[in-house]
Amino acid sequence: MRKARSAVVAYALAAFTRHPQAAAFISSSSATDFSPRVSLKMGKSNPLVENNLPEPLLLGSGSFTRKLILSEMNIPYHKIVREIDERGLGDRSKDAPRDLVLMLAKAKMDHLITEIQAGNCNNDLPSGFSSADEWVVLTGDQVVTHSGNILEKPDSVEQAKEFVAGYASSPCSTVGSCVLTHLPSGIQVSGVDTATIHFKPTINGGIIDNLLKEDAPVLSCAGGLMIEHPLTREHIDRIEGTEDSVMGLSKDLVTRLLSELRQKLVDNAK
């Protein structure tokens, strides 16, 4: 467990060059005891309040980058995760990437909501709250596509090296989904965002060994892709899209979906 936490800290520190807000995020959490609850920063707008939505957001993801992005957006959240068998869902050889990531994010949502409504998450909810309260729940999923293939989290170091070596010859793309569900109404909105990363010919599988030496969690990243890390960044030529989308959660998409959810709730109340 301590090994995993040190990897998270190293990953966060690597993101500082492009995400200075991460410093405040990490300083508010112990390096050995990450709290599932992150509150908003005073003086900044809160998208949940702006959209008249309940807070904190329930984040159904353990992804550090998604937590970092929500923190940058000043969205207070509480992490609560219930795992599903992702590999047992969908057909990677036939499913369109957009369809696959949406299906997986909705499957995560369905399972988490079932657990919440059954009262199986009461001990994991913020103090003073219960499953009967009003919530907005967020789940997501992401894959990397390259040369017509869908790449998920690598199964091994060797597979991560194969993934990365291929990026030297042609660009890869990230396809990420976001699903928001309001409880208790069950009203749901969802969307997908994509970005394309063009690497220089200098990128090769050897970078994986160097990343692992710094405890970077490459095996937890779709396609072994860690654009936030300086060791990777020096090999990037350009990105079509936004960096937060590549990191697993598009800020623009989250902002749009919060607005859509608010409007659906207003329409539903008429």
Side-chain angles (χ1 to χ4, degrees):
M1 192 66 176
R2 185 172 298 275
K3 175 76 169 180
R5 284 169 178 154
S6 67
V8 168
V9 174
Y11 189 21
L13 292 173
F16 283 178
T17 55
R18 293 287 290 183
H19 297 276
Q21 297 94 330
F25 177 80
I26 293 300
S27 66
S28 66
S29 303
S30 166
T32 58
D33 186 20
F34 278 85
S35 168
R37 176 77 179 271
V38 173
S39 301
L40 57 81
K41 300 178 181 66
M42 299 303 294
K44 290 187 63 177
S45 61
N46 175 354
L48 294 177
V49 172
E50 290 178 347
N51 286 284
N52 197 30
L53 295 170
E55 56 178 303
L57 177 100
L58 287 186
L59 174 62
S61 171
S63 164
F64 175 76
T65 53
R66 291 192 181 107
K67 291 186 284 186
L68 174 60
I69 290 166
L70 288 176
S71 179
E72 289 183 342
M73 294 181 71
N74 206 37
I75 295 178
Y77 67 83
H78 183 88
K79 184 186 75 173
I80 179 167
V81 180
R82 293 295 183 269
E83 300 291 344
I84 64 169
D85 178 16
E86 297 182 39
R87 296 298 178 99
L89 298 174
D91 186 337
R92 275 64 174 168
S93 65
K94 297 179 180 179
D95 292 339
R98 295 178 66 92
D99 295 338
L100 178 64
V101 294
L102 261 182
M103 178 191 65
L104 290 173
K106 289 182 177 181
K108 295 174 185 178
M109 180 67 75
D110 290 344
H111 180 58
L112 179 54
I113 287 178
T114 297
E115 289 288 289
I116 292 172
Q117 293 179 331
N120 296 332
C121 300
N122 285 343
N123 292 335
D124 297 322
L125 293 173
S127 177
F129 290 85
S130 74
S131 57
D133 287 307
E134 186 183 13
W135 299 102
V136 172
V137 187
L138 183 153
T139 57
D141 194 74
Q142 184 187 57
V143 296
V144 171
T145 61
H146 182 253
S147 298
N149 298 313
I150 293 176
L151 311 181
E152 296 185 283
K153 297 172 185 177
D155 293 323
S156 65
V157 172
E158 288 307 311
Q159 187 176 54
K161 290 181 178 180
E162 291 177 13
F163 288 168
V164 172
Y167 303 153
S169 58
S170 58
C172 61
S173 296
T174 57
V175 184
S177 62
C178 178
V179 178
L180 297 178
T181 301
H182 174 264
L183 294 178
S185 72
I187 292 174
Q188 185 176 102
V189 294
S190 61
V192 176
D193 194 75
T194 63
T196 299
I197 307 97
H198 296 261
F199 284 94
K200 301 173 183 176
T202 54
I203 191 77
N204 61 72
I207 192 176
I208 295 296
D209 290 326
N210 294 328
L211 288 168
L212 290 173
K213 287 177 183 177
E214 298 193 7
D215 281 336
V218 291
L219 299 184
S220 297
C221 301
L225 200 59
M226 289 187 65
I227 67 161
E228 305 82 14
H229 202 290
L231 290 176
T232 305
R233 183 171 297 282
E234 65 185 59
H235 297 286
I236 295 175
D237 180 35
R238 69 185 188 279
I239 296 175
E240 297 174 19
T242 63
E243 187 170 317
D244 43 84
S245 181
V246 176
M247 291 171 65
L249 189 63
S250 164
K251 294 179 182 178
D252 290 341
L253 178 59
V254 172
T255 299
R256 176 171 64 81
L257 291 179
L258 287 173
S259 179
E260 285 185 16
L261 183 59
R262 176 198 61 192
Q263 190 58 52
K264 283 194 172 186
L265 287 169
V266 170
D267 293 342
N268 188 62
K270 292 179 180 178

